[in-house]
Amino acid sequence: MSRILSRRQFLHTAAGGTLALPLLTESSRPARAATAPKRLLICFTPNGTIQNAWLPKGTAQDFALGEIMAPLAPHKNDITVVENLTMTAALRAAGGDAHGLGVGCLLTGIEPLPGNQFAAGMGGPGSGWPGGISIDQFIAERIGKATRFPSLEFTVKTMEGNIWSRISYKGAAIPVTPMDNPSMAFDRVFGCDTGDAAALARLRAQRRSVLDNSLAEFEALGRTLGKVDRQKIESHLGGLRDLERQLAATCMPVGAQCTKPPRSTLVGTKVPKYNLSNEDADAGADVDIPARHDAIRQMVVAAFACDLTRVASVILAPSRSPIVMSWLGIKGMHHAISHTQDTASLIKIDQFYAQEIAKLIADLKASKEADGKSVFDNTLIVWCNELGIGSGHTHDKIPFMLAGSAGGYFKTGRLVTAQKGIAQNDLLVSIANAMGLSDVTMFGNPAYCKGPLVGLT
Amino acid sequence: MGGGGPGPQGGGLPGASPGPAPGASPGATSPGGGSGPGPQAPTLNCTKPDPGRSPLRRLNHVEYVNTVADLLNLPEATELASTFPPDEQGGGFSNNADALVVTGLLAGRYVEVAEQLAAVAVTKAKNLLPCDPTQGEAACAAMFVQRFGRRAFRRPLRAEEQTRYLALYMEERKAGTFTSGIEVVTRALLVSPHFLYRVEVGVPMAGATVVAVTPYELASRLSYGLWSTMPDDTLLAAADAGRLGTPEGIEAEARRMLTDNKAKQAIAGFHREWFGMDEVDGIGKDKADFPTWTPSLRSALKTELELFVEKVFWTDGKIETLLAAPFTYLNPVLAKHYGAPMPNSSTEFSRVDLDPTQRAGLLTNGALLAVHAKPNQTSPVHRGVFVREGLLCQPLPAPPAVDAAGNPIVIQPPVVTPGSSTRQRFTQHSTDPSCASCHRLMDPIGFGFENYDSIGRWRTMDGEAPVDARGEVVGTREVDGKFTGAIELAKRLAASVDVRECMAKQVFRYASGRAETPGDACTLQRLRERFDSRGHDMRELWVAVAASDAFRYRAVSGGGQ
């Protein structure tokens, strides 16, 4: 293995070309779990919806899917539409942008911290970062130690590090940075170092001692700090401990019939401009969105099937999405359109997202566990949005859809109508319960919790 | 977005006090109700140093790549910036300590990048090594750990660290080579919290809540504050020699540092963020109304803005010039756009004198006027907000969510109809009481800019009527009153304590990488006094902040308990 790199190679590898961490070898596959584990996948799409096109028509167990959900028809018996949930924390927040509040409260169920980091859309006092841990990270903390990655987070494009482009939080004001570069994501999750055995053993030993040294320094430093500073060091330390576990893991996929996905050649993107006029929006920059969705989907499905992680989140588009879906014949950015009366385009956009969710379901159904069941049988997908109605910036009637039963925990093929005023916190509790955390009775701000959501089990 | 400069992170909730008082806590400043002059300055007790908060800070990506480029003598390492996920934002400036957190992806990225950097660095061992290993490997490795470690940690290694890093070398040397030993040490240093973060402990003093920072910690505060990178050898030598122990010693270093090109880069970054210069990149205008608005015009306008601010700052430095200069830097495309005299050069940007009755400094800059306007019309609201928040540092309250009857308020820009003036389109803001209480702080300032259209050109007609550029400022100490046109407003702002105080705050926020706290009141007051006593030279603010309590001391509680 050559250790001498030219400048060009340096930048190539530094940009995610060939180097892969952790050091993993193709040997020593560990024993497979005796019973297939449960998996959780959160899928976020933005800017509210068109309620009457989204909502199914009919009764709880006898309904027709709405126009937007038509692409999910093949999976109708496997989904649960949850309507009428209210994002109470967003409604009660003291300041902040409606989109930012929505996406910040969605999975945390608690008001954001006070602050002015994120301006309100129309000026005035903004909000700080979200005020607590998100449900996916909460679950990952409890069940994630069994796998190489406690959780994996993906996003569709490189977005600014702000409240609108993050959904997962390790705690108050600790956003989890999602992977925005499919080829680098592949290297991180599925990559293996190559070379002769002796060189690999050396490299592994080097990494071991460098990491040990770093862990010891972070631990020692953390002990000397006050609460606020210590949280920063502990978040970093958590990332290093994950790496440590990965060093000890093997490279070979470990699931029953799992194979590595193809390595996407897509790389990161420029951070998009949110303040473009629709005329100025560069539709050409977004035409690779479907390919990005494909790459992410293949990685999520393989990571579940190979039991590399049991918790994942995917931002199919960020809040206030400026994506121009020119491949659907749509002109203009999603966010800008959401503030117009062009419902036809908005329905098309949401149908596209429904189609992407349908593909995820189909691929998970096609992935088999050791016992012959599908990975989907043990999976719960949560499809969610930061607003009810985009043009009105509403925080009630949030469109939620569940797919999969989490190993038979949820009954599916249903339309669940929450009672007026019930907060999404109750759904978050149900999700934790479904993932096996039966002790969870509240999540987020306890004032908004009434227990698990009625009608799911 | 509403424009205006970065506000204080965690800034004040809207209160009832009219205007900011000198040295008042920023958390209490707000342009709320009344229109009278602000309260008198409270008497500050500035006898004891108060450094405000002292949060632990991670290097942001700009600081990180600058630092590794300097540390390893690898200028190309700055290209690594694009391979990091974007820094999380903290409001205000991009170096705000409170936002810079690390989770798994970035933690792993640091490890990967350290491997890459170390592998490249050891191929240029001459740059890295202080000694010749053929004259004794062990001694050379020890010297490397000591010298390189001091630069990586920006302080001398403690004895325990020296031993530990040398042990890393020796462990690797058993199976590897001298070079691979150096490489492993380099990797380990690059992923240390003492490299990735600016760890400060201060000079211990029993029972104290405020302590002096060590000379090396101060050197890093200076270098990241003024340069966005690590200290150079001269600065570390000044720390070694105890020359950073007095305000005078610090000031001398700060003056030296300001002559370095690194200061030019860092301070350009400050201005870019303060004035929202990058917002220019995305501005679109309706093609039917503004056919001359093209990407090349937009990019030329941005260059003009950058050049103007940079030239004023580094040649004259006076806030009056920044806000009221009747000249700018144009190329022929822009001269045509402004209707200004052609510059001497046919391609390059050069200085052009403008009609002083039409143009005055920053406020009449075409790029900013275009940013703070709608695609099809001007926006007195956004132009007013830019002045109120960006130049007066007064955060504005949000529009109400519901009207007096409890019905949701839907805010949409007014429809442009032939014959209607801007002022007519925004009458609801002054007649509807639920709008007027706040919009009186913005719109009447913005109306003063009505002589400039949506792309910043001078105009005398607004629709079918002559432009009415009468405006009014309320809620300040020295800017209040009626005025006509942006020139009169610019001159009044340029001469005001309000803007000088705001500028001092913005420099403070950037140089110290955090929002001000009530404890920083004395520091801010001294900054303003220095600014006043040195002829309002903006460069003096950077010198003054470097020698301030906020730089020389730290709160033992760090970022907070």
Side-chain angles (χ1 to χ4, degrees):
Chain A
M1 199 166 26
S2 168
R3 310 293 297 153
I4 312 286
L5 299 172
S6 70
R7 172 170 179 260
R8 207 169 122 234
Q9 284 170 317
F10 158 61
L11 288 168
H12 173 64
T13 53
T18 57
L19 181 88
L21 270 186
L23 176 103
L24 300 164
T25 55
E26 300 276 349
S27 59
S28 68
R29 99 180 16 206
R32 198 176 299 137
T35 53
K38 295 183 177 193
R39 284 84 156 196
L40 172 66
L41 171 60
I42 309 270
C43 293
F44 175 82
T45 66
N47 296 339
T49 192
I50 302 299
Q51 292 282 334
N52 60 12
W54 174 80
L55 198 60
K57 316 268 184 298
T59 62
Q61 300 191 37
D62 180 16
F63 60 89
L65 289 174
E67 189 181 354
I68 284 171
M69 278 194 234
L72 288 151
H75 310 293
K76 187 181 167 220
N77 290 334
D78 303 308
I79 64 178
T80 300
V81 178
V82 181
E83 64 149 329
N84 209 34
L85 282 171
T86 300
M87 208 118 64
T88 312
L91 286 174
R92 302 274 173 89
D97 169 74
H99 286 272
L101 287 174
V103 71
C105 297
L106 181 62
L107 302 176
T108 61
I110 193 166
E111 289 83 344
L113 301 179
N116 251 337
Q117 283 96 325
F118 305 113
M122 300 288 182
S127 73
W129 282 100
I133 193 168
S134 58
I135 191 67
D136 57 317
Q137 295 301 305
F138 177 82
I139 291 167
E141 273 189 8
R142 295 277 295 268
I143 71 168
K145 294 283 187 281
T147 51
R148 188 182 299 165
F149 299 94
S151 63
L152 290 173
E153 295 77 25
F154 296 88
T155 191
V156 73
K157 299 202 72 129
T158 298
M159 295 289 172
E160 292 170 297
N162 60 29
I163 198 171
W164 295 279
S165 49
R166 300 286 179 264
I167 60 174
S168 296
Y169 292 86
K170 279 198 180 297
I174 305 183
V176 180
T177 311
M179 295 183 280
D180 56 27
N181 178 322
S183 53
M184 283 173 78
F186 176 91
D187 292 342
R188 177 170 178 237
V189 180
F190 301 99
C192 291
D193 284 300
T194 53
D196 66 78
L200 285 174
R202 286 280 317 288
L203 187 53
R204 173 176 281 213
Q206 289 173 348
R207 284 177 173 163
R208 179 87 250 167
S209 43
V210 167
L211 192 57
D212 284 348
N213 183 67
S214 189
L215 283 166
E217 288 187 335
F218 272 89
E219 281 165 2
L221 175 61
R223 285 193 291 271
T224 68
L225 300 173
K227 187 177 164 214
V228 172
D229 294 335
R230 193 169 63 240
Q231 280 171 346
K232 286 184 200 162
I233 288 301
E234 281 175 356
S235 176
H236 197 143
L237 190 53
L240 290 176
R241 290 207 179 104
D242 292 345
L243 281 181
E244 185 185 28
R245 238 185 16 260
Q246 290 154 29
L247 262 184
T250 67
C251 184
M252 194 61 190
V254 296
Q257 298 183 13
C258 88
T259 48
K260 284 186 190 183
R263 182 177 186 275
S264 170
T265 55
L266 290 166
V267 297
T269 55
K270 278 189 185 165
V271 175
K273 296 284 176 192
Y274 292 89
N275 57 351
L276 292 174
S277 70
N278 258 338
E279 279 185 341
D280 235 26
D282 180 7
D286 290 332
V287 293
D288 62 7
I289 292 285
R292 286 175 185 277
H293 285 167
D294 287 345
I296 292 171
R297 183 181 69 254
Q298 288 165 349
M299 286 190 276
V300 167
V301 171
F304 278 179
C306 300
D307 203 23
L308 297 174
T309 192
R310 294 171 187 176
V311 177
S313 69
V314 178
I315 300 171
L316 284 93
S319 175
R320 301 190 308 181
S321 165
I323 290 169
V324 182
M325 296 194 181
S326 54
W327 64 92
L328 300 178
I330 289 170
K331 291 189 167 61
M333 295 175 288
H334 183 186
H335 181 215
I337 299 170
S338 77
H339 286 281
T340 70
Q341 302 305 309
D342 183 6
T343 51
S345 290
L346 293 170
I347 289 170
K348 252 192 201 174
I349 289 169
D350 280 358
Q351 276 175 339
F352 168 77
Y353 289 131
Q355 181 67 53
E356 299 299 78
I357 305 289
K359 287 185 200 166
L360 267 165
I361 296 172
D363 285 4
L364 287 167
K365 283 182 174 175
S367 291
K368 297 300 175 194
E369 309 269 28
D371 60 7
K373 286 187 173 169
S374 77
V375 176
F376 180 76
D377 290 332
N378 296 308
T379 298
L380 173 64
I381 298 176
V382 181
W383 179 21
C384 53
N385 197 305
E386 87 277 35
L387 296 174
I389 302 169
S391 63
H393 283 168
T394 54
H395 288 137
D396 60 350
K397 297 192 167 63
I398 306 295
F400 281 100
M401 190 199 84
L402 311 179
S405 66
Y409 187 87
F410 284 150
K411 294 207 174 80
T412 56
R414 291 180 169 197
L415 166 62
V416 172
T417 304
Q419 286 187 333
K420 188 173 164 54
I422 292 289
Q424 96 280 13
N425 299 59
D426 289 357
L427 176 60
L428 302 179
V429 168
S430 292
I431 293 167
N433 295 163
M435 291 301 293
L437 309 182
S438 55
D439 58 318
V440 176
T441 55
M442 295 189 290
F443 193 81
N445 188 333
Y448 312 143
C449 298
K450 299 215 184 303
L453 185 64
V454 175
L456 292 174
T457 55
Chain B
M1 316 309 102
Q9 193 244 328
L13 293 168
S17 78
S25 97
T29 22
S30 144
S35 60
Q40 290 306 300
T43 311
L44 286 171
N45 178 356
C46 295
T47 50
K48 282 186 189 161
D50 188 338
R53 288 172 74 235
S54 311
L56 176 73
R57 59 182 61 254
R58 163 170 82 69
L59 307 186
N60 70 14
H61 296 332
V62 171
E63 292 167 340
Y64 176 90
V65 296
N66 287 344
T67 301
V68 293
D70 289 348
L71 177 66
L72 302 170
N73 197 12
L74 286 176
E76 65 265 37
T78 52
E79 294 175 42
L80 282 168
S82 63
T83 73
F84 283 101
D87 278 320
E88 312 293 345
Q89 296 170 357
F93 294 103
S94 63
N95 60 1
N96 190 306
D98 292 327
L100 296 168
V101 294
V102 174
T103 52
L105 180 65
L106 186 54
R109 190 83 198 111
Y110 279 136
V111 174
E112 291 170 5
V113 170
E115 291 194 0
Q116 292 302 321
L117 287 169
V120 177
V122 294
T123 65
K124 302 180 179 181
K126 278 192 194 120
N127 289 337
L128 213 57
L129 291 177
C131 43
D132 180 357
T134 61
Q135 304 296 308
E137 286 190 359
C140 188
M143 189 183 276
F144 169 75
V145 169
Q146 184 193 15
R147 301 253 178 107
F148 182 76
R150 171 175 168 273
R151 294 178 66 232
F153 283 9
R154 305 175 283 270
R155 61 166 170 79
L157 266 53
R158 297 189 273 264
E160 175 273 322
E161 291 166 335
Q162 174 76 27
T163 308
R164 185 156 41 82
Y165 279 89
L166 194 56
L168 274 178
Y169 161 81
M170 290 189 292
E171 183 192 331
E172 169 60 24
R173 181 68 186 88
K174 278 186 230 156
T177 61
F178 173 81
T179 304
S180 72
I182 296 298
E183 184 179 343
V184 166
V185 170
T186 304
R187 275 158 58 174
L189 287 165
L190 292 179
V191 296
S192 168
H194 299 284
F195 171 74
L196 294 172
Y197 293 79
R198 285 166 52 195
V199 177
E200 297 178 337
V201 290
V203 180
M205 194 160 65
T209 56
V210 169
V211 295
V213 295
T214 69
Y216 299 101
E217 290 164 0
L218 185 60
S220 281
R221 286 181 170 202
L222 292 174
S223 71
Y224 287 97
L226 270 53
W227 281 351
S228 299
T229 188
M230 62 179 281
D232 65 357
D233 290 342
T234 310
L235 188 49
L236 285 178
D240 281 333
R243 288 200 298 272
L244 303 178
T246 61
E248 294 73 25
I250 297 168
E251 192 173 320
E253 261 309 301
R255 289 193 189 283
R256 173 187 76 86
M257 292 173 72
L258 284 177
T259 64
D260 192 296
N261 197 45
K262 293 182 217 171
K264 215 166 214 177
Q265 305 257 336
I267 290 172
F270 162 71
H271 289 132
R272 190 166 59 244
E273 292 191 41
W274 182 13
F275 300 131
M277 292 187 191
D278 286 340
E279 285 186 46
V280 180
D281 297 333
I283 292 301
K285 300 293 176 184
D286 283 357
K287 287 192 170 52
D289 294 333
F290 303 105
T292 61
W293 186 259
T294 60
S296 62
L297 174 64
R298 187 167 65 197
S299 119
L301 281 166
K302 188 180 181 189
T303 303
E304 179 210 347
L305 176 58
E306 290 166 345
L307 260 182
F308 172 74
V309 174
E310 183 183 311
K311 296 271 189 190
V312 169
F313 186 90
W314 292 106
T315 54
D316 161 294
K318 294 203 185 314
I319 193 170
E320 289 86 351
T321 312
L322 182 72
L323 287 176
F327 62 85
T328 188
Y329 296 83
L330 302 179
N331 67 6
V333 173
L334 288 180
K336 198 172 158 207
H337 174 71
Y338 282 111
M342 276 290 156
N344 295 329
S345 163
S346 61
T347 51
E348 304 288 302
F349 281 77
S350 50
R351 184 178 147 149
V352 172
D353 289 321
L354 301 170
D355 181 345
T357 65
Q358 294 184 5
R359 299 283 167 179
L362 193 72
L363 288 179
T364 59
N365 172 273
L368 290 178
L369 287 164
V371 165
H372 301 294
K374 295 283 175 191
N376 63 345
Q377 58 184 311
T378 63
S379 174
V381 178
H382 289 92
R383 289 171 175 179
V385 168
F386 176 70
V387 171
R388 183 69 70 177
E389 293 192 332
L391 297 180
L392 297 170
C393 289
Q394 297 180 344
L396 288 158
V402 292
D403 62 19
N407 299 312
I409 294 177
V410 178
I411 300 173
Q412 303 239 328
V415 175
V416 180
T417 50
S420 73
S421 73
T422 307
R423 204 173 288 262
Q424 286 163 341
R425 293 197 287 274
F426 285 90
T427 46
Q428 192 191 355
H429 283 173
S430 55
T431 54
D432 182 336
S434 60
C435 303
S437 64
C438 298
H439 275 280
R440 65 191 192 84
L441 299 166
M442 316 167 220
D443 302 19
I445 296 178
F447 287 135
F449 291 86
E450 276 299 295
N451 276 121
Y452 310 92
D453 69 10
S454 167
I455 60 174
R457 293 176 306 192
W458 178 259
R459 66 177 186 178
T460 53
M461 297 296 286
D462 173 14
E464 290 165 7
V467 162
D468 177 357
R470 287 173 300 159
E472 184 178 11
V473 184
V474 296
T476 69
R477 277 181 291 138
E478 292 188 0
V479 194
D480 276 13
K482 295 186 189 303
F483 67 93
T484 301
I487 310 297
E488 188 181 347
L489 175 66
K491 287 180 177 160
R492 205 186 290 170
L493 287 166
S496 72
V497 66
D498 304 77
V499 175
R500 292 197 296 276
E501 187 174 287
C502 179
M503 175 164 274
K505 263 184 206 170
Q506 304 283 19
V507 171
F508 174 89
R509 289 168 185 166
Y510 191 82
S512 56
R514 63 177 174 87
E516 68 277 13
T517 68
D520 296 309
C522 292
T523 289
L524 289 169
Q525 178 170 281
R526 289 189 190 121
L527 253 59
R528 210 175 48 254
E529 286 165 2
R530 166 73 73 103
F531 202 14
D532 288 347
S533 69
R534 300 293 174 105
H536 307 155
D537 187 328
M538 298 180 281
R539 291 165 294 193
E540 291 295 325
L541 285 174
W542 294 85
V543 176
V545 77
S548 70
D549 284 355
F551 266 58
R552 298 178 60 215
Y553 297 92
R554 74 182 302 271
V556 173
S557 59
Q561 296 303 323

